[in-house]
Amino acid sequence: MSGSENDAVLDGIRELKAKFGRRILIAAHHYQSLDVVALSDIVGDSYALARLALASEAEFIILCGVLFMAESAVILAREGQVVLSPDPGAGCPMADMIDRRSMEASLDAIRSATGSSAAPIVYMNSTAGTKALAGERDGSVCTSGNAAAVVRALSSRGRPIFFAPDRNLGANTAAALGLDPRRVFLVGADRSIRGTGNPAEGLLFLWDGFCCVHKRFTVADVAAARAASPGVRVIVHPECDPEVVEAADDSGSTERLWQLAAEASPRSSFVVGTESNFVRRLAAAFPDRTVAPLRESPCLSMSRITAASLFRSLESIRDAALGKGRLVHEVTIDEISRANASKALKAMIALTEAGR
């Protein structure tokens, strides 16, 4: 897109935002481009976006993020709210690593190994179908910020835990809780259960999925950052490999990483192991600190959301209001799945608040 074409798109977005006012809410994930973030009304991680969208009086919510984020907004939306995705082809490879059938098979395998019905905990980065199954089985959703609280709460009820889809977040949570590694196991797509101990005594069973953005970071990257800038503080996302998290100075969700930089003194120096757009935004937000990426690691799925695709969503709202067309890329979920997924999300909120 040429410069003049891009300017026309940006002007068109601003015009339609002004026309519809509070009827439209544009929500962007932290990993979006600077252009999209600048045009958005709220910015946050996946859970914050769904929660903030729920609190909005907007009739239309345009969710600038990958598809599971738009689904989460639908799950929590009030009656009459409509959620649009600028590009529903912006999926999350990790979320797609497990579907409802695979999750059911894994829960069956754990029951066979332990004699107990496992409590499913699905990461926010999961499909509506797996969230719904978690709700059906009296499980919960979790985020990278509250995973430890949710795992601790559900495991205290005497049930083994099945954690999906990110093995790294699960393993890092287990380490944070001090769980015996011999009681933590991996569950494969073939229903195999792998670990060093006896599966019958397992406490935590991790689906063998991963985030391709965070899988790129290595212990060697951490060592290179320290060698290049002695005294630098290395902070990473808990979707990184456990060895990387252990080598870093701190870890946390995108909200937590932002907080660490915000609370640091001027002239502090950080190297950040997470998605590239977020690191660039962090550096721009705190120019009196030095913020650099542990390595460049963009989320290609997030990059599918552009100002042009956002403009198409706004145009479709305008055209539908005029009776000249239909909404483009409205995200919907069947009512049964929505109710069960909502149950899992509400369980997360209750468990997190109870642990405060």
Side-chain angles (χ1 to χ4, degrees):
M1 184 183 296
S2 68
S4 59
E5 289 173 326
N6 189 59
D7 288 343
V9 165
L10 298 181
D11 288 343
I13 291 172
R14 296 186 187 103
E15 179 182 340
L16 288 174
K17 283 188 67 178
K19 176 182 176 65
F20 283 92
R22 293 184 178 180
R23 291 182 63 195
I24 292 177
L25 179 77
I26 301 175
H29 189 267
H30 280 304
Y31 296 172
Q32 285 298 310
S33 69
L34 294 176
D35 270 355
V36 172
V37 167
L39 294 162
S40 299
D41 300 304
I42 58 173
V43 182
D45 63 14
S46 54
Y47 176 62
L49 291 181
R51 180 174 50 79
L52 292 170
L54 174 64
S56 169
E57 296 295 327
E59 179 182 350
F60 300 98
I61 299 168
I62 303 177
L63 204 302
C64 297
V66 292
L67 184 58
F68 79 78
M69 298 176 186
E71 290 179 335
S72 296
V74 172
I75 292 165
L76 292 174
R78 295 190 306 279
E79 184 176 355
Q81 283 186 315
V82 174
V83 178
L84 302 181
S85 168
D87 187 341
C92 173
M94 178 172 68
D96 293 338
M97 287 177 186
I98 185 168
D99 57 16
R100 182 185 178 96
R101 180 176 296 181
S102 298
M103 187 167 162
E104 288 175 331
S106 298
L107 291 168
D108 289 344
I110 296 168
R111 176 186 273 280
S112 295
T114 65
S116 300
S117 175
I121 297 176
V122 294
Y123 189 21
M124 195 75 178
N125 302 30
S126 60
T127 65
T130 53
K131 288 184 177 76
L133 183 56
E136 289 175 35
R137 301 290 183 93
D138 294 322
S140 177
V141 176
C142 77
T143 69
S144 51
N146 64 21
V150 174
V151 170
R152 182 189 300 112
L154 285 187
S155 62
S156 70
R157 299 176 182 178
R159 297 171 66 189
I161 302 296
F162 174 60
F163 190 100
D166 186 26
R167 62 176 287 181
N168 281 344
L169 179 59
N172 287 319
T173 298
L177 292 173
L179 298 185
D180 184 343
R182 294 170 297 181
R183 302 188 73 181
V184 179
F185 297 85
L186 284 179
V187 181
D190 59 356
R191 299 180 56 174
S192 62
I193 296 177
R194 309 187 304 277
T196 58
N198 180 0
E201 299 176 353
L203 292 176
L204 185 60
F205 295 82
L206 312 175
W207 177 257
D208 196 6
F210 62 91
C211 170
C212 56
V213 170
H214 294 98
K215 191 70 175 172
R216 297 186 185 112
F217 300 111
T218 66
V219 172
D221 292 335
V222 176
R226 296 196 192 284
S229 302
V232 71
R233 192 173 182 193
V234 179
I235 57 176
V236 302
H237 196 280
E239 290 175 19
C240 293
D241 286 346
E243 297 79 9
V244 174
V245 171
E246 185 176 359
D249 296 298
D250 209 334
S251 66
S253 66
T254 47
E255 298 286 346
R256 171 64 176 160
L257 297 180
W258 188 280
Q259 180 184 19
L260 288 171
E263 293 176 349
S265 59
R267 296 182 296 279
S268 297
S269 181
F270 291 92
V271 168
V272 187
T274 193
E275 201 274 340
S276 300
N277 276 328
F278 176 78
V279 180
R280 280 191 283 273
R281 284 187 52 237
L282 200 60
F286 302 105
D288 60 348
R289 299 143 173 80
T290 300
V291 179
L294 188 55
R295 73 157 60 209
E296 286 293 328
S297 189
C299 177
L300 299 181
S301 294
M302 286 283 188
S303 68
R304 292 179 62 112
I305 307 296
T306 63
S309 62
L310 171 58
F311 187 34
R312 285 195 294 273
S313 294
L314 287 164
E315 286 182 310
S316 82
I317 294 172
R318 177 200 62 196
D319 293 346
L322 294 172
K324 295 182 177 180
R326 301 174 60 184
L327 294 173
V328 175
H329 304 323
E330 180 181 354
V331 181
T332 60
I333 300 170
D334 70 87
E335 285 305 313
I336 294 176
S337 295
R338 181 178 175 181
N340 284 320
S342 178
K343 179 181 176 182
L345 282 163
K346 290 176 180 176
M348 172 184 68
I349 295 169
L351 293 170
T352 303
E353 292 302 316
R356 291 186 187 279

